[in-house]
Amino acid sequence: MWIGEVGQAALYVLLIILVLSMAVQGWASVKPSPRRLHAGRMLMFAQFGLAALASGALIDLLMTENLWYTYVAEYTGPHLPLIYRIAAFWGGNAGSLLLWVFVLTSYGGVLASLRHGDDARVMPLALCIYSGITLFYTILVVFVASPFTRLAHPAQTGNDLNPLLQNPGMTVHPVNVYLGCIGFTVPYAYAMACLWLRRTDDLWLRISRRWSLIAWLFLGIGIVYGAHWSYEELGWGGYWAWDPVENASLLPWLTATAFLHTAHAQERRGLFPLWNVSLVSLTFLLTLFSTFLTRSGMVWSIHAFAEGPLGINYLIFIGVVLVFSAVTIGVHRRHLSTVHRVEAVVSRETGFLLNNVVLLAATFAVLWGTVLPLVSGIVTGHQMAVKTSFYNAVALPLGLAVLLLMAIGLRVPWRRASVGDVVHNTFGSVIVALAVTVAAVVVLHAFYGPVSITASVALFAAVWAIISALAGFGESVRVRMEATGEGAIRSGFAVCLTNRRRWGGYCVHVAFAMMAVGVIGSGFYHTDKQQALAPGESTTIGNYQLTFASLGIQAGEGTRQMYANLVVSRDGQMLGVMRPAATFYDNGEAPLTNIAIYSRPLADLYVAMIGTADGTKGVFDVHINPLVSWIWWGGYLMIAGTLFSLWPSRTNGRARVARPWRGPGVNVP
């Protein structure tokens, strides 16, 4: 039992270290010295060590099922596999808050160990702000929602982890979302520190862009994997339901995407410094809003924790951060001025700006739909429900605009261009994209139903974005081949290696266009049916025939699984047997639907057994989801492209950043 007391003691000591860290780091920023800077770094490492000790203590309690502790009794059980005992660490509110503190201190330790070429004042002030944010979460985990609360007497048995969370996705999705949301704390702390110290040169942008890209990648992995988990686990045939907590994780990802684009424009041309600082601050605020929605209990969500006392604490902290950010940006706004301007309407800079406008419009629309139930509940006493049709109606034109900007923007030069230049640069890719789209629509019509004009236009935009990126790469390879006489393969590798950031970005563009193809196909050409079948009976959907062969029951530890054997054939040829099932729990937990999926590049056959009728019949929910696997492939390509762009280039050890205007009459190139 002592291990739990050690964990609790580590958190109390962590509180003291955090307060001491803020004092030492603030002092080091005001009066720089190597000794104070070193002391501030050591205190960051101490924070990590104490958070790691507390986290290790909780994991030990969960693994050994120490039922003296409330958190262990609520989220473990006698038949829970070891991997899910560990995953129970973040399965509840208190444990996930401790994980949040652990990740914060881990990032803080990494930040303290790096050398950014900054002066002796920026690093301490950034660490001071960062430690203040960590202090807030540590106060919550110590005084509001502690995972080390003991029971008067040990529980007889644990309540077990929610069956929906007993999935491999539990080890991937939440952790990546946390790594993403928490990662945005670093660029925020550096942006605020640099502003207060009037260091608006390349320092904050260089650090913020790289850390934001890492956090953006983690959050993107979490979102995509969460969609995949929902698709395979919940049994409703879809992957994104515009759930409030799903929306909350999407919001900072959208604003971070906007920042990464205009950050590139600031690096190349010294543009949008005020805009970029504001986007970094907004992204951090939206991560706080995301955690508020998840933990306040004010909106219903399958992803949210139970209602607790955390909501008001988060609202107060969000208010403090909002005021601090607004004051910091307002007071130091003149230091973000620049003499550089967008030179022409037709230019890549304008494309980035339009892209940001579209992404922020999407952010506002999703945010409004998410908070409307809260606002209406406060004003009228009744929460208004926001239907998925609202989000879909907004997402379609905005998504189409993003795809078109992706397709055109890659072929528009910096500074200025004419409409004729753009037409000339994009004409070939448009023709190829039209041909591919027509062929795809013919295939989709033949297999999955009537042609949708809206879907065809959206599909064209996605295909054009892919062709445009490939054409840009092909053009660069051709130029190198002509200049060096190298072969196509060698030139392709050389082009990629000499500008990893550019081609990694192109790869990410292709990835999102692929994901858009998956969304379009599964959204517009999806078919489904529900039918009760007796043994020997068949049903047809699309060009598949499903024959119900038999019903069986399999007993497990604390569970009983009822399964059905469905023989699947297509065009008279048997493809195999699918086995959808339902799992029942002896402890009274709600039954869990086990999905059967037959996945191919062009479509998924998706079957769920949703019940029985008359004792012998099975009731099945059958879906055909065209092109849905393209979403998951696009997700893998997104990871690969982002990692490639993060890898340091041989020729560019350090990013070239245009320094902004320092004052009246001074134009720093």
Side-chain angles (χ1 to χ4, degrees):
M1 293 191 349
W2 60 270
I3 191 68
E5 296 169 356
V6 169
Q8 185 68 59
L11 290 176
Y12 280 118
V13 177
L14 178 58
L15 281 175
I16 298 172
I17 293 296
L18 283 165
V19 174
L20 183 60
S21 296
M22 293 178 66
V24 171
Q25 291 154 0
W27 187 26
S29 180
V30 174
K31 293 186 176 181
S33 77
R35 179 179 296 179
R36 297 185 190 108
L37 181 60
H38 178 72
R41 293 180 189 274
M42 292 301 103
L43 287 169
M44 297 299 292
F45 299 145
Q47 293 175 27
F48 166 71
L50 290 165
L53 179 59
S55 301
L58 180 57
I59 291 176
D60 182 85
L61 295 176
L62 292 166
M63 291 175 63
T64 58
E65 197 177 353
N66 191 323
L67 297 178
W68 277 97
Y69 291 87
T70 303
Y71 189 82
V72 178
E74 288 179 348
Y75 296 104
T76 64
H79 304 298
L80 192 65
L82 177 61
I83 186 65
Y84 297 126
R85 289 178 187 271
I86 297 174
F89 182 12
W90 51 86
N93 212 344
S96 66
L97 276 174
L98 179 55
L99 176 64
W100 201 281
V101 172
F102 173 70
V103 175
L104 269 172
T105 57
S106 300
Y107 280 150
V110 173
L111 188 62
S113 66
L114 297 177
R115 300 295 186 271
H116 298 296
D118 55 345
D119 60 27
R121 299 181 64 200
V122 175
M123 171 70 85
L125 185 55
L127 293 181
C128 180
I129 295 170
Y130 192 91
S131 296
I133 295 167
T134 307
L135 178 63
F136 164 72
Y137 284 97
T138 307
I139 289 172
L140 290 183
V141 82
V142 171
F143 298 111
V144 183
S146 172
F148 296 110
T149 303
R150 289 190 59 183
L151 296 165
H153 303 282
Q156 295 298 314
T157 185
N159 293 334
D160 225 338
L161 189 66
N162 187 324
L164 289 174
L165 303 182
Q166 297 179 38
N167 180 282
M170 185 61 178
T171 64
V172 179
H173 165 63
V175 175
N176 276 283
V177 171
Y178 288 174
L179 289 170
C181 286
I182 299 168
F184 290 118
T185 309
V186 176
Y188 173 77
Y190 253 95
M192 295 297 101
C194 287
L195 267 185
W196 277 110
L197 297 174
R198 303 178 182 179
R199 282 291 305 272
T200 54
D201 54 5
D202 66 339
L203 176 65
W204 86 268
L205 182 66
R206 182 160 38 87
I207 297 170
S208 296
R209 189 201 66 82
R210 192 167 186 85
W211 276 93
S212 294
L213 185 57
I214 293 170
W216 178 89
L217 173 61
F218 279 128
L219 187 55
I221 293 172
I223 291 171
V224 174
Y225 202 94
H228 200 185
W229 183 6
S230 175
Y231 182 66
E232 292 187 339
E233 187 71 18
L234 299 184
W236 59 290
Y239 43 82
W240 190 266
W242 297 107
D243 177 273
V245 175
E246 291 177 350
N247 295 349
S249 63
L250 178 64
L251 292 171
W253 185 88
L254 289 171
T255 54
T257 304
F259 165 70
L260 291 171
H261 283 81
T262 45
H264 185 42
Q266 185 174 347
E267 286 181 310
R268 285 290 300 262
R269 299 272 292 110
L271 298 169
F272 316 128
L274 176 61
W275 183 256
N276 284 327
V277 170
S278 301
L279 283 174
V280 167
S281 303
L282 178 59
T283 299
F284 177 64
L285 281 165
L286 287 173
T287 64
L288 296 178
F289 175 74
S290 173
T291 53
F292 161 73
L293 273 188
T294 307
R295 301 173 190 279
S296 66
M298 298 184 69
V299 295
W300 183 91
S301 167
I302 194 172
H303 308 279
F305 296 107
E307 185 173 357
L310 295 173
I312 186 63
N313 296 282
Y314 271 104
L315 281 179
I316 293 172
F317 188 61
I318 289 172
V320 170
V321 173
L322 178 60
V323 171
F324 174 73
S325 304
V327 169
T328 300
I329 295 173
V331 169
H332 301 283
R333 177 176 179 175
R334 63 188 180 88
H335 300 292
L336 295 169
S337 300
T338 175
V339 294
H340 300 286
R341 295 289 183 268
V342 176
E343 297 181 10
V345 173
V346 182
S347 64
R348 184 165 296 192
E349 296 91 321
T350 301
F352 281 148
L353 192 58
L354 289 174
N355 177 74
N356 273 21
V357 170
V358 174
L359 289 173
L360 289 178
T363 303
F364 174 78
V366 174
L367 179 63
W368 175 244
T370 303
V371 302
L372 182 58
L374 295 177
V375 174
S376 62
I378 294 171
V379 174
T380 67
H382 301 284
Q383 289 194 356
M384 296 176 59
V386 179
K387 297 181 179 179
T388 58
S389 57
F390 164 77
Y391 295 107
N392 292 336
V394 170
L396 180 61
L398 293 177
L400 183 61
V402 169
L403 289 170
L404 291 173
L405 285 169
M406 285 170 54
I408 299 172
L410 295 179
R411 311 297 290 164
V412 178
W414 292 94
R415 293 183 180 272
R416 61 176 62 250
S418 67
V419 175
D421 292 334
V422 175
V423 172
H424 178 267
N425 291 340
T426 60
F427 182 76
S429 60
V430 168
I431 297 301
V432 175
L434 278 173
V436 173
T437 303
V438 169
V441 169
V442 170
V443 172
L444 289 169
H445 171 65
F447 286 100
Y448 307 116
V451 174
S452 166
I453 300 299
T454 304
S456 300
V457 172
L459 189 61
F460 165 74
V463 172
W464 187 17
I466 295 173
I467 299 299
S468 181
L470 295 178
F473 178 71
E475 179 67 15
S476 294
V477 172
R478 183 188 64 79
V479 170
R480 183 178 177 89
M481 289 173 62
E482 292 178 352
T484 64
E486 296 173 345
I489 296 177
R490 185 171 181 178
S491 293
F493 276 110
V495 165
C496 290
L497 294 176
T498 53
N499 197 336
R500 298 177 192 272
R501 281 184 56 189
R502 179 185 181 187
W503 301 116
Y506 274 43
C507 186
V508 171
H509 278 205
V510 171
F512 284 107
M514 286 179 59
M515 295 169 74
V517 169
V519 171
I520 294 163
S522 58
F524 285 95
Y525 292 95
H526 166 267
T527 57
D528 65 276
K529 69 185 301 185
Q530 292 184 3
Q531 189 163 343
L533 298 174
E537 291 184 340
S538 300
T539 186
T540 300
I541 182 169
N543 59 344
Y544 291 100
Q545 184 180 52
L546 290 79
T547 302
F548 181 28
S550 62
L551 196 67
I553 296 178
Q554 182 176 349
E557 288 188 330
T559 65
R560 290 175 298 110
Q561 186 179 81
M562 178 181 293
Y563 63 87
N565 291 314
L566 291 170
V567 179
V568 182
S569 58
R570 182 174 56 196
D571 300 327
Q573 180 180 0
M574 192 180 84
L575 301 176
V577 177
M578 298 181 72
R579 181 175 281 189
T583 301
F584 301 88
Y585 296 87
D586 295 343
N587 62 4
E589 289 277 3
L592 180 66
T593 302
N594 303 107
I595 311 304
I597 301 176
Y598 178 74
S599 184
R600 289 295 180 267
L602 290 182
D604 280 8
L605 177 62
Y606 181 105
V607 183
M609 186 171 69
I610 58 177
T612 59
D614 301 331
T616 58
K617 289 185 176 181
V619 182
F620 302 98
D621 186 22
V622 187
H623 301 256
I624 292 182
N625 293 318
L627 303 176
V628 72
S629 59
W630 284 55
I631 300 175
W632 324 133
W633 296 342
Y636 294 131
L637 186 59
M638 175 199 74
I639 297 171
T642 307
L643 291 176
F644 188 76
S645 67
L646 281 167
W647 196 268
S649 175
R650 293 177 180 176
T651 57
N652 296 325
R654 177 175 171 175
R656 179 172 59 88
V657 181
R659 296 174 179 263
W661 184 38
R662 291 294 194 117
V666 180
N667 181 9
V668 182

